[in-house]
Amino acid sequence: VQLQASGGGVVQVGGSLTLSCAPSGSTDSSYVVGWFRQAPGTERQFVAAISRSGDRTVLADSVKGRFTASRSYLHMNDLKPEDTAVYYCAGDRSKYGNTWYATHPSEYDYWGQGTQVTVSS
């Protein structure tokens, strides 16, 4: 399975953007979806995780109140310069139960190419 993020672009401070995540290569959807971002010179950073059924979502503190996430979309509002990064969606097939999501990118099995988001001031 590959998870392809798309929809990035250049947006002004305070603007909004919606990213999409599309799977390919398999019809299997039994994985937790994670959204990550990576700015130049930094490690890949957790943004959100969405459960297999889509009924549970966890957001990083840095985006709470501004971003909403689903298995297919990342809606970003009130964008700030520090949101500038390449955004990825990923799949984790191993997490279940009380520890149903992971925040470290190494825990995720499926990735695709990311999409660049640039917030200009």
Side-chain angles (χ1 to χ4, degrees):
V1 177
Q2 281 203 329
L3 296 174
Q4 183 66 44
S6 63
V10 179
V11 62
Q12 290 189 332
V13 170
S16 299
L17 202 60
T18 295
L19 306 182
S20 298
C21 177
S24 64
S26 173
T27 57
D28 177 22
S29 62
S30 182
Y31 48 82
V32 172
V33 171
W35 287 92
F36 290 82
R37 65 186 182 185
Q38 188 167 20
T42 70
E43 294 186 352
R44 200 162 291 188
Q45 178 186 48
F46 173 80
V47 175
I50 305 91
S51 64
R52 285 173 174 77
S53 62
D55 63 341
R56 290 181 289 180
T57 304
V58 172
L59 293 165
D61 288 344
S62 58
V63 304
K64 279 181 183 175
R66 300 189 298 122
F67 290 14
T68 57
S70 71
R71 293 178 61 84
S72 298
Y73 300 103
L74 183 67
H75 303 286
M76 305 183 294
N77 299 312
D78 189 23
L79 284 161
K80 303 176 180 181
E82 53 263 41
D83 296 318
T84 294
V86 177
Y87 283 72
Y88 300 86
C89 57
D92 176 0
R93 63 187 179 187
S94 64
K95 294 294 183 294
Y96 288 92
N98 291 331
T99 55
W100 65 269
Y101 72 97
T103 60
H104 199 282
S106 66
E107 300 276 358
Y108 286 75
D109 306 290
Y110 308 134
W111 294 88
Q113 286 190 332
T115 186
Q116 175 71 47
V117 172
T118 302
V119 183
S120 65
S121 55

